[in-house]
């Protein structure tokens, strides 16, 4: 038989999935819904909109207005869902066989639902240590919301000391992950008839050379794995091209080509080395070849997001708290990125731990197992003991 808390959490999750908060769209309705629940529980809530006023972060506090609080953080945005690929409506929760289907169910609205439901219980306690709820926008496209939130926290008089990021880890305690650096490199040449290729600058051909150089660098990274990276899979910094856009027709020299690429560095030095090598290749090799034919040729790299990894720390209060709550004997590291590194850079101790499997994230028929949600609620209930003690 389900507890009232689990039933309440699933009801909240149903509502959250119903908000189609794809990164390209607004999350304001979800933020308004969450803010109402938190204010009804007695929380002090701050909503901060982005420059477009179409997206917002939420930061709420339950308990005393002092430093040393614990942040429960989750992102509100989801990746797109093509209804044709789903066996159900992506934005209408469906429960079947102990699984809760819907876009964002595990990544990561299940955790948010649990936090919102549990916040009503926290508010009834005489907390000695504040509990903070952080909900962010645009994690999936560069962690823009978390960056905004962290900058606001820097200007705040109150500093939390612990953050638990609820990305889907099957409730495993994650103490480290790789960084995630995303870019778009655009090549601008000049077009012409394909019968005379030497009279134009084919941006696609230049992009192909750039990608080839990227793959060479990717191979060199495999030789850099060591004791500090052997826990990762794979145990080295990776590079990957995700999308290419260029050209207009097969018989026209391509004037423009854009390459969307990323790297997942184990070490900051790897990221600096790769960026320096690619910049040198563009400036010393590719661009001179282009401008010798077309003086106005350009290569422009746009930084989409540079999100630092979560470094494994010898002392980590967040790790100590969450391992005691979950009963975990070991912590792990993962290769996927989260907002955790941004909170760590602010000086907080951080772990990643949340319900659901990353294997379900970003896929059709995404689901969250009910028993995972129940385990998350057990962790959040156990957290009451920590919140009742002064930091």
């Amino acid at each position: 038989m389900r507890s009232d808390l689990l039933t309440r959490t699933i009801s909240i999750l149903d509502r959250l999935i119903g908000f189609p908060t794809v990164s390209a769209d607004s999350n304001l309705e979800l933020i308004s819904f969450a803010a109402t629940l938190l204010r009804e529980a007695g929380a002090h809530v701050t909503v901060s909109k982005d420059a477009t006023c179409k997206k917002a972060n939420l930061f709420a506090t339950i308990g005393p207005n002092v430093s040393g609080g614990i942040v429960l953080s989750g992102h509100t945005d989801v990746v797109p869902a093509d209804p044709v690929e789903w066996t159900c409506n992506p934005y209408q929760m469906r429960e079947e066989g102990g699984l809760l289907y819907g876009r964002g169910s595990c990544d990561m609205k299940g955790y948010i639902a649990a936090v919102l439901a549990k916040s009503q219980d926290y508010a009834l306690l005489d907390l000695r240590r504040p509990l903070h709820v952080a909900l962010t926008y645009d994690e999936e496209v560069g962690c823009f919301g978390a960056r905004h939130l962290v900058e606001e926290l820097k200007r705040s008089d109150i500093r939390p000391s612990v953050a638990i990021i609820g990305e889907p880890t099957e409730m495993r305690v994650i103490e480290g992950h790789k960084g995630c650096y995303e870019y778009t490199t655009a090549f601008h040449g000049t077009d012409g008839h394909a019968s005379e290729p030497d009279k134009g600058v084919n941006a696609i051909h230049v992009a192909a050379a750039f990608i080839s150089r990227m793959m060479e660098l990717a191979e060199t990274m495999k030789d850099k794995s060591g004791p500090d990276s052997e826990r990762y899979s794979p145990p080295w910094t990776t590079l990957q091209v995700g999308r290419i856009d260029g050209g207009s027709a097969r018989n026209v020299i391509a004037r423009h080509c854009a390459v969307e690429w990323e790297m997942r560095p184990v070490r900051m030095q790897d990221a600096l080395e790769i960026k320096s090598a690619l910049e040198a290749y563009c400036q010393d090799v590719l661009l001179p070849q282009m401008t010798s034919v077309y003086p106005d040729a350009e290569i422009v790299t746009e930084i989409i997001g540079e999100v630092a990894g979560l470094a494994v720390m010898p002392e980590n209060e967040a790790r100590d708290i969450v391992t005691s709550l979950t009963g975990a004997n070991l912590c792990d590291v993962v290769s996927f990125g989260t907002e955790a590194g941004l909170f760590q850079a602010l000086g907080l101790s951080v772990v990643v731990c949340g319900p659901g499997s990353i294997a379900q994230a970003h896929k059709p028929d995404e689901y969250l197992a009910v028993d995972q949600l129940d385990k998350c609620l057990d962790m959040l209930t156990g957290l009451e003991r920590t919140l009742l003690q002064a930091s």
Side-chain angles (χ1 to χ4, degrees):
M1 184 175 178
R2 288 179 179 171
S3 67
D4 291 343
L5 177 58
L6 179 57
T7 299
R8 184 165 75 238
T9 302
I10 292 174
S11 176
I12 292 173
L13 177 57
D14 186 15
R15 291 291 305 277
L16 295 179
I17 289 173
F19 298 112
T21 51
V22 176
S23 303
D25 301 322
S26 174
N27 72 337
L28 294 184
E29 288 188 8
L30 185 152
I31 291 293
S32 177
F33 170 73
T36 297
L37 289 183
L38 289 163
R39 288 189 177 113
E40 288 175 350
H44 177 268
V45 180
T46 300
V47 173
S48 301
K49 294 183 179 180
D50 73 344
T52 69
C53 292
K54 294 180 179 179
K55 300 179 183 181
N57 290 326
L58 178 152
F59 192 79
T61 300
I62 298 172
N65 192 29
V66 297
S67 296
I70 297 176
V71 179
L72 304 178
S73 181
H75 65 81
T76 62
D77 61 316
V78 298
V79 297
D82 184 351
V84 174
E85 298 177 341
W86 284 62
T87 59
C88 57
N89 184 339
Y91 302 110
Q92 182 175 334
M93 193 188 77
R94 174 172 64 90
E95 181 175 357
E96 183 178 328
L99 305 178
L100 304 168
Y101 291 88
R103 175 56 85 215
S105 55
C106 77
D107 187 19
M108 52 186 297
K109 292 180 176 180
Y111 178 74
I112 294 174
V115 169
L116 292 176
K118 191 60 195 171
S119 294
Q120 299 177 37
D121 295 339
Y122 294 143
L124 299 176
L125 304 175
D126 183 20
L127 302 184
R128 301 287 302 281
R129 191 171 184 176
L131 183 284
H132 305 287
V133 177
L135 304 181
T136 61
Y137 64 87
D138 283 3
E139 186 271 350
E140 298 287 4
V141 291
C143 295
F144 297 115
R147 287 191 238 174
H148 179 192
L149 176 64
V150 165
E151 289 303 314
E152 290 191 329
L153 288 176
K154 285 181 182 179
R155 298 189 293 269
S156 171
D157 294 332
I158 298 176
R159 290 293 180 87
S161 60
V162 167
I164 303 170
I165 315 299
E167 291 277 4
T169 67
E170 298 176 285
M171 295 305 297
R172 293 180 299 131
V173 183
I174 304 302
E175 62 176 339
H177 65 67
K178 295 182 180 182
C180 184
Y181 290 56
E182 299 176 305
Y183 307 91
T184 298
T185 299
F187 303 87
H188 303 282
T190 184
D191 52 16
H193 199 283
S195 63
E196 296 182 297
D198 292 345
K199 292 185 178 180
V201 174
N202 193 312
I204 292 178
H205 292 181
V206 181
F210 175 81
I211 294 171
S212 178
R213 177 60 178 144
M214 279 183 59
M215 295 303 98
E216 290 175 359
L217 292 169
E219 286 299 312
T220 67
M221 290 295 112
K222 294 180 180 180
D223 297 327
K224 292 180 176 290
S225 61
D228 60 337
S229 63
E230 61 186 11
R231 295 172 67 189
Y232 290 100
S233 177
W236 54 74
T237 293
T238 60
L239 287 95
Q240 194 259 159
V241 175
R243 186 171 180 271
I244 301 173
D245 180 32
S248 58
R250 67 172 58 88
N251 61 347
V252 177
I253 297 170
R255 178 172 56 184
H256 171 80
C257 185
V259 177
E260 298 179 14
W261 59 283
E262 63 148 45
M263 60 175 158
R264 307 278 175 137
V266 174
R267 294 167 291 269
M268 178 68 72
Q269 185 57 39
D270 290 350
L272 296 175
E273 180 181 325
I274 290 167
K275 288 173 63 177
S276 177
L278 287 174
E279 182 178 354
Y281 185 62
C282 287
Q283 295 301 316
D284 300 340
V285 179
L286 297 181
L287 195 57
Q289 293 175 355
M290 297 169 74
T291 55
S292 67
V293 178
Y294 179 58
D296 291 333
E298 288 184 309
I299 301 175
V300 179
T301 294
E302 176 188 4
I303 300 173
I304 305 302
E306 293 182 330
V307 180
L310 176 62
V312 176
M313 304 298 289
E315 296 185 6
N316 186 333
E317 184 187 4
R319 178 183 60 208
D320 296 342
I321 291 172
V322 178
T323 53
S324 69
L325 295 178
T326 61
N329 294 319
L330 297 172
C331 296
D332 205 350
V333 300
V334 292
S335 295
F336 64 82
T338 77
E339 298 169 334
L342 293 166
F343 287 96
Q344 187 178 63
L346 189 62
L348 282 68
S349 64
V350 188
V351 291
V352 183
C353 182
S357 169
I358 196 66
Q360 299 304 322
H362 299 192
K363 291 184 178 179
D365 290 342
E366 176 184 349
Y367 66 78
L368 172 64
V370 173
D371 67 340
Q372 282 282 303
L373 197 55
D374 208 17
K375 289 179 181 179
C376 180
L377 290 170
D378 286 344
M379 178 187 75
L380 296 177
T381 297
L383 188 62
E384 291 178 359
R385 297 190 297 274
T386 304
L387 295 169
L388 290 169
Q389 302 170 355
S391 61

